[in-house]
Each structure stands twice: as structure tokens, then as C-alpha cells.
Amino acid sequence: MKSNALNFSGGPGALPAAVLDATQAAIAALPETGLSVLGMSHRSDWFEQIVDEAERNLRALLGLPERFAVSFLQGGSSLLFATIPLNFATRAFAAPDYVNSGYWSSRASAEAQRVGPCRVVWDGAPSGFRELPSLDRLAVAPSAAYLHYVSNETVEGLQFAAPDTTPRVPLIADMSSDFLSRPFDTGRYGMIYAHAQKNLGPAGVTVAMIDRTLLERIPEGLPQILDLRTQIAHRSNYNTPPVFAIYVLTLVTRWLRDTIGGLDAMQRINATKSTRLYDTLDAMRDAVDVHALKPWRSQMNAAFTFRDARLDRAFLDFAGERGMVGLEGHRSIGGLRASLYNAVTLEAVETLCDALREFGARHG
């Protein structure tokens, strides 16, 4: 029998059991209103309070400076891939710089090129997206509109270290798959964004945190719904927002704050989980290849494959019989992938490691 507790999917990912329980109750009736969360008005006082709490919790967890505006958007990172250059890559600056470190960052730069010129300042494609550059050592143009990167590549299992210095140009990061998994210095960034179906909740909402000085660059004449000033001015309520997704996001932030004890504690848990899994995979190095080189391995996503490719399918069946789901690799590279998002427990990772060892012994 499959279990929510053994969900290793790359997204939508696992949610904490306590959040699932509270969500289930809220679908029937919210304790505050007596109505189902699925039928709550986005114009209600209740929802305004939820948006306020979600922002307040995020600010507290991240230590986010007041100069950042927080907005809850729709369309995922894919919409922001176009929205960001529309808003910030103005003629007053040189073309923005992009880091192509994997599948999703390549999608971001390709979309930006549809809007206007952009420069790829580093490209990992020649090495098969197995390593990452140091953000602090990139040859970024001093007049570039901004530098964009994806902090964690879910497909290839690559994760950047946080920058040690503040770049000379605004740093914009898509943190969709490692947001709230560890603390970082938010003050080094011009904009941080993350869609929800990894660590934050169900698909439908994207968090955007924007230094207000960047908003001064936005040109007039953009469609209102694509002008980030519109979303901020309307407090994430310009058009009907994803009420349910924002509510679940708020539950997740409560769980991180009250049950986990904040992002330092979450990082320690995630480090333990990823170490257990990579140690297991490394012990099977004669039979298994991990996609990412060691210095850049992600704590969130481990992409790997059996050297005998026929065993990938066999392991999926083997794991499925033990209740594990979501271990298929991304369609672009195949193989296997275990996503260890915040809600994936250490016990679940131990179950996966036991299964890998048992399977390896049978097929050694």
C-alpha cells in the first residue's frame, strides 16, 4: 500500500502530516468560519488575515528586511521567467546575465530571450549539467540589469551554495525547490521567488519577494497583470488568488515555525537526510551513478541511475511494492530521482536506503 509518508516526488512534493490533517479538516469546515476553505471568498476578512499571516511568518522565518515587498502570485516560475525581464530588463541597463545550470535555468534564459537580449554568463550544458560555478566569481557585466540563477536544479540534483558577497548588480533567484529548506542572507538579493509545489504547499501559488528599489525600474505600459507593482499594490488580490494554496502555505509556515523550530533546525534535518542517502548511493558506486558531482550535490533532489539501465525500471517496481512513489527521474534525463523536501522524514529516507541496499544485494 502506498503512503503519503513515502512520497519522493519531485513535485508536487510531500506535505507534512500535520498540514495534511489540518487541510483535511479545513476542506470540510474552517474552525474560524464554519465554511469549507474551498468556498472561502478572496474578499473576506478571513482571507486578508491569512495573507497577512503568511507574509508575517515568511518574514520571521527568513529574517526578511522591510525593504522587500512580498506578493503571492500565480503562474509558477514559468510565468515569472517572462515577467522578470518585462519588468526589470529596461533600456537603462545592459542585457541581464543568466546562469544556465540545468533544465529549469535554461528554460528561464530561453524565455528571457523572447522578451529581449540576455547574456548567458555561464553554461553547464557542455559538461552535462553535473557541476556549478561560484556565483561570486562570475564575470557579470557591471551594467547588467540583473543576474539570474536557479538555486537548486531539481532535474539534475544540483544546488548552489549561498553567495558570500553581494553582487554589483541585483541578484534574482528562482528558489522554488529549496526555498525554506535552509537559512540564507536575503539581503544579498534583489528578488527571490519560489513556486509552491516543493516545500511550500500545493501548486497554484508563487511567492515573490522584491526589493522595492527594483520596482522603480518597471516601465509604464505593461499589461497590468504582468506589472509586479499591480500585484503588490493589490496585496496579492488583483484577480482571484489561489485561496486554498495560500492557506496551505500558511499552515506550512506554522509547521516550520512551531514544530520544526525554524530554518536552522530544518537545515540540520535536511543535511542528515541527504547524507544518509548519498552515503548509501556512494557505497553502491560500482552499480550506481549519481548525476551531480560531489561538491554540488543537492540536499533536495538526488538524481541517479543504475549502470545497467534495465535495473532502473526494476527498482521502481521494487520500491513501489514497499509503498514508495515518485522515484522516476525527470523525462529529460531519465533514470531515478529521490526528492527529499522538508516534509520527507528521516524515517522515509531510511526506508529508501534499506530498499536500495536490499535491491543492490539481489542484483549485485
Side-chain angles (χ1 to χ4, degrees):
M1 179 179 175
K2 294 178 174 60
S3 167
N4 286 315
L6 298 175
N7 180 6
F8 296 96
S9 172
L15 285 170
V19 171
L20 287 174
D21 289 344
T23 300
Q24 183 179 29
I27 288 173
L30 285 161
E32 306 97 313
T33 69
L35 298 175
S36 168
V37 65
L38 299 179
M40 283 301 303
S41 169
H42 60 294
R43 300 297 182 192
S44 64
D45 290 341
W46 172 86
F47 182 63
E48 183 177 347
Q49 292 167 11
I50 286 294
V51 171
D52 287 345
E53 183 189 349
E55 176 177 342
R56 188 168 61 249
N57 291 352
L58 287 170
R59 287 188 180 278
L61 287 165
L62 292 163
L64 187 70
E66 283 301 317
R67 72 174 186 270
F68 283 84
V70 178
S71 192
F72 300 98
L73 309 173
Q74 301 179 64
S77 289
S78 294
L79 182 58
L80 280 171
F81 291 164
T83 304
I84 287 168
L86 282 170
N87 280 256
F88 303 133
T90 62
R91 293 180 180 177
F93 301 90
D97 282 347
Y98 278 72
V99 177
N100 278 4
S101 55
Y103 178 87
W104 286 109
S105 53
S106 298
R107 289 272 299 266
S109 61
E111 193 70 5
Q113 288 168 352
R114 292 176 178 269
V115 176
C118 78
R119 184 176 74 120
V120 174
V121 70
W122 188 89
D123 191 355
S127 64
F129 295 126
R130 293 178 181 271
E131 59 186 334
L132 296 173
S134 168
L135 291 172
D136 300 308
R137 296 179 181 176
L138 294 174
V140 178
S143 57
Y146 54 82
L147 171 63
H148 181 280
Y149 80 109
V150 173
S151 61
N152 184 78
E153 293 282 5
T154 60
V155 173
E156 296 84 4
L158 295 160
Q159 188 174 30
F160 278 92
D164 294 325
T165 60
T166 302
R168 291 175 295 177
V169 302
L171 183 60
I172 297 181
D174 177 352
M175 294 189 176
S176 293
S177 53
D178 63 353
F179 189 61
L180 299 186
S181 71
R182 59 183 182 178
F184 63 96
D185 185 355
T186 55
R188 299 197 188 281
Y189 293 83
M191 177 177 177
I192 301 155
Y193 64 102
H195 60 240
Q197 62 264 33
K198 312 293 185 184
N199 282 325
L200 278 173
V205 61
T206 301
V207 176
M209 302 174 171
I210 310 166
D211 189 324
R212 294 180 190 276
T213 60
L214 273 181
L215 300 177
E216 298 169 6
R217 295 187 181 186
I218 299 174
E220 298 300 326
L222 291 180
Q224 280 196 303
I225 200 166
L226 297 178
D227 187 325
L228 290 169
R229 294 171 301 187
T230 302
Q231 304 294 344
I232 292 165
H234 286 82
R235 295 283 297 133
S236 306
N237 214 337
Y238 174 67
N239 63 316
T240 306
V243 173
F244 175 71
I246 295 173
Y247 172 70
V248 179
L249 179 154
T250 307
L251 295 180
V252 170
T253 61
R254 293 176 189 171
W255 172 78
L256 278 167
R257 180 194 63 196
D258 301 334
T259 302
I260 298 300
L263 298 191
D264 287 315
M266 192 73 257
Q267 182 180 37
R268 290 192 293 271
I269 294 168
N270 287 330
T272 300
K273 292 187 302 186
S274 62
T275 297
R276 296 284 176 86
L277 178 56
Y278 284 123
D279 283 351
T280 300
L281 293 172
D282 286 341
M284 301 171 66
R285 64 177 62 90
D286 290 340
V288 172
D289 281 326
V290 177
H291 183 84
L293 298 179
K294 273 191 177 183
W296 300 280
R297 287 178 177 177
S298 168
Q299 287 190 350
M300 296 285 96
N301 312 95
F304 61 98
T305 185
F306 283 90
R307 294 187 178 181
D308 180 349
R310 294 172 299 179
L311 294 181
D312 290 344
R313 179 69 257 174
F315 181 73
L316 287 172
D317 294 338
F318 183 84
E321 292 167 359
R322 288 152 180 76
M324 287 172 272
V325 298
L327 289 164
E328 301 86 352
H330 190 269
R331 61 187 179 276
S332 65
I333 65 171
L336 302 162
R337 175 177 57 175
S339 295
L340 312 180
Y341 299 133
N342 287 352
V344 175
T345 64
L346 179 58
E347 292 75 18
V349 175
E350 296 284 12
T351 299
L352 173 58
C353 291
D354 288 344
L356 282 164
R357 286 189 287 264
E358 182 181 349
F359 183 83
R362 290 189 185 186
H363 297 272

